[in-house]
Amino acid sequence: MDFDLDETQQDLRTLATEVLAKDGGEDRFRQAGLMSVCVPEEAGGAGLGPVEMAVVLREVGSRAAVVPALPTLAGTLALARHGDLGLQRRCADRVALALREPGRALAAPPLTTARRKGDGWTLTGRKANVLHPPPPDTVPATLVTADEGLFLAEPTALTNEYASTGEPAATLVFEDAPAERIAGPEAVEDTVQLFTAAVAAQASGVLSGALELTTTHVRTRKQFGRALAEFQAVTMQVADVYIAGRALDVAMWSALWRLGAGLPAERDLALAAYHVCEGLTALHTCQHLHGGLGLDVTYPLHRYFAQGRLLTHLLGGADAQLDVIGALVSC
C-alpha cells in the first residue's frame, strides 16, 4: 500500500491547482479536461480511476470552489465501471447522481422501485440532495439507484432547491419514468461507495484549506500585543483541527487505494465518512479562532464552512456513519 502520488497524479494535481488559482469555474474546468478524467479514453476522457478522482476533488475542496466536479467525477467513474462504451460516449462528462431517498442515510438500501415494462424498465420513487441536476428534457439523464440496479432515467417532476454553498440542487420524483438499466444491484453498492469516497476527498481538501486560512490568521492577528498563535489554548485548538484532517486523510486514501485495486473498502469508507462528519466540529473551531471575521462574506472561510456542512449533510451525519461502522464491526 503506497499512498504517494505517481507522476500522472502529481501532474493532475498541478493542473487542478493552476485552473482553480485562476478562479476556474465550470467552463474552465471542462476546457482543461478535469471533468472527464474518469471517462474512458475511447469515450474521449483520460480513463483514470478513484485515486485520480480524489486528487482533483481534494484540490476543489482546498479552495472551496463551486463547480459540479463531485457528482460529475463520481458519476462518470460509475459509468466507466458499469456502463458500455456507447453509453459512456453518449453521457460524456455531464452526469447527475440520484442516490439518496428523503430522510434516509446514503448507505441504506434504495427504496426506489424498478419494474419491467415491455422490453424496458420504469422507475417509481423520490431522490433527495441531487446536486447540479440536469435541465429537463436534456441528454444525458440522471444515474439513479434502485432496488433492481443502476439506471439512467429522467425524472417526471423535480423541486428546485439550493445547497448551503449556493449550488443548485433538487429533489427528483419518478412516477413510472422510463429508464435504461445499466447494471444489477452490485453496481448500486459500488456507485454509493464511489460517491462516498468522492465526498471524503473533497472534505479532506476543505479541512486542509480551512486550516491553512486559520494558521495564517492566528500567526498575524494580535491580541494584547501578542500574536494569537503564541497563546497555548489557540495552539491546542489548531492542533485539534490538524489531527481531524489527518485522521480523515488516512481513512480516505486507504479507501480510495482499495477501490482502485478492486479490494473491499467498506470499513475504510465508513471511517472516512465518519471523519468527514466529525470534521464539521473542526470547521467550527476554525470559525471560533477567526472571531467575527470568519462570517464575513468578503473573507473565504465562510465558503469552507458552507461546503463542509453540505458534504456532511450528503453523508447523513456522524450518527448515521456510526450506525454503519457498528453494523460492519458486528458482522
Side-chain angles (χ1 to χ4, degrees):
M1 186 180 295
D2 183 1
F3 293 163
D4 289 333
L5 300 182
D6 61 27
E7 185 176 351
T8 298
Q9 293 158 356
Q10 291 176 16
D11 290 343
L12 188 62
R13 181 176 62 184
T14 299
L15 175 61
T17 301
E18 291 174 351
V19 171
L20 291 165
K22 298 176 182 177
D23 296 323
E26 180 178 351
D27 291 340
R28 189 183 291 273
F29 232 64
R30 291 191 188 280
Q31 291 168 6
L34 291 168
M35 291 292 196
S36 59
V37 296
C38 297
V39 176
E41 293 184 61
E42 299 86 349
L48 301 176
V51 173
E52 290 78 16
M53 171 187 73
V55 168
V56 175
L57 288 174
R58 197 176 190 279
E59 293 306 308
V60 171
S62 69
R63 287 157 183 80
V66 180
V67 292
L70 174 58
T72 299
L73 293 181
T76 53
L77 184 54
L79 275 178
R81 290 162 74 107
H82 302 290
D84 60 38
L85 186 57
L87 181 64
Q88 293 158 10
R89 285 173 174 160
R90 176 153 53 97
C91 292
D93 62 351
R94 298 181 183 273
V95 179
L97 279 173
L99 306 181
R100 180 179 169 189
E101 274 81 6
R104 288 170 61 82
L106 182 63
L111 293 177
T112 302
T113 302
R115 292 188 177 91
R116 284 194 175 276
K117 189 173 184 179
D119 295 332
W121 293 80
T122 62
L123 292 180
T124 298
R126 295 164 63 89
K127 296 291 187 180
N129 304 312
V130 179
L131 295 178
H132 298 273
D137 302 318
T138 60
V139 177
T142 305
L143 279 177
V144 185
T145 54
D147 54 347
E148 294 292 334
L150 186 64
F151 293 82
L152 199 64
E154 184 175 328
T156 52
L158 61 82
T159 302
N160 287 313
E161 303 159 354
Y162 287 95
S164 60
T165 56
E167 296 173 80
T171 294
L172 307 186
V173 178
F174 300 90
E175 291 289 348
D176 289 325
E180 180 179 354
R181 189 172 188 258
I182 296 170
E186 72 285 349
V188 173
E189 182 179 357
D190 185 60
T191 301
V192 170
Q193 288 187 357
L194 292 174
F195 184 76
T196 302
V199 171
Q202 188 159 326
S204 170
V206 168
L207 273 179
S208 175
L211 177 61
E212 183 177 351
L213 278 175
T214 304
T215 53
T216 299
H217 175 74
V218 299
R219 283 198 305 264
T220 56
R221 178 77 172 181
K222 290 187 176 182
Q223 291 285 354
F224 309 110
R226 298 170 58 191
L228 288 176
E230 296 181 27
F231 293 92
Q232 186 179 24
V234 171
T235 303
M236 292 173 66
Q237 290 181 78
V238 170
D240 287 341
V241 178
Y242 173 80
I243 291 170
R246 290 297 296 145
L248 171 55
D249 281 349
V250 170
M252 181 266 292
W253 286 120
S254 178
L256 284 154
W257 181 87
R258 296 183 70 84
L259 283 172
L263 298 172
E266 294 86 355
R267 295 194 176 195
D268 301 76
L269 281 171
L271 285 172
Y274 172 73
H275 285 300
V276 169
C277 300
E278 282 295 289
L280 193 59
T281 300
L283 291 172
H284 275 286
T285 300
C286 292
Q287 287 277 17
H288 171 71
L289 292 174
H290 274 85
L293 179 62
L295 300 175
D296 188 339
V297 295
T298 65
Y299 187 77
L301 185 62
H302 77 282
R303 294 190 289 110
Y304 289 92
F305 189 83
Q307 196 163 112
R309 180 175 290 279
L310 169 62
L311 297 171
T312 297
H313 184 63
L314 290 176
L315 295 180
D319 288 346
Q321 296 308 320
L322 284 176
D323 288 343
V324 174
I325 293 171
L328 290 170
V329 171
S330 63
C331 291

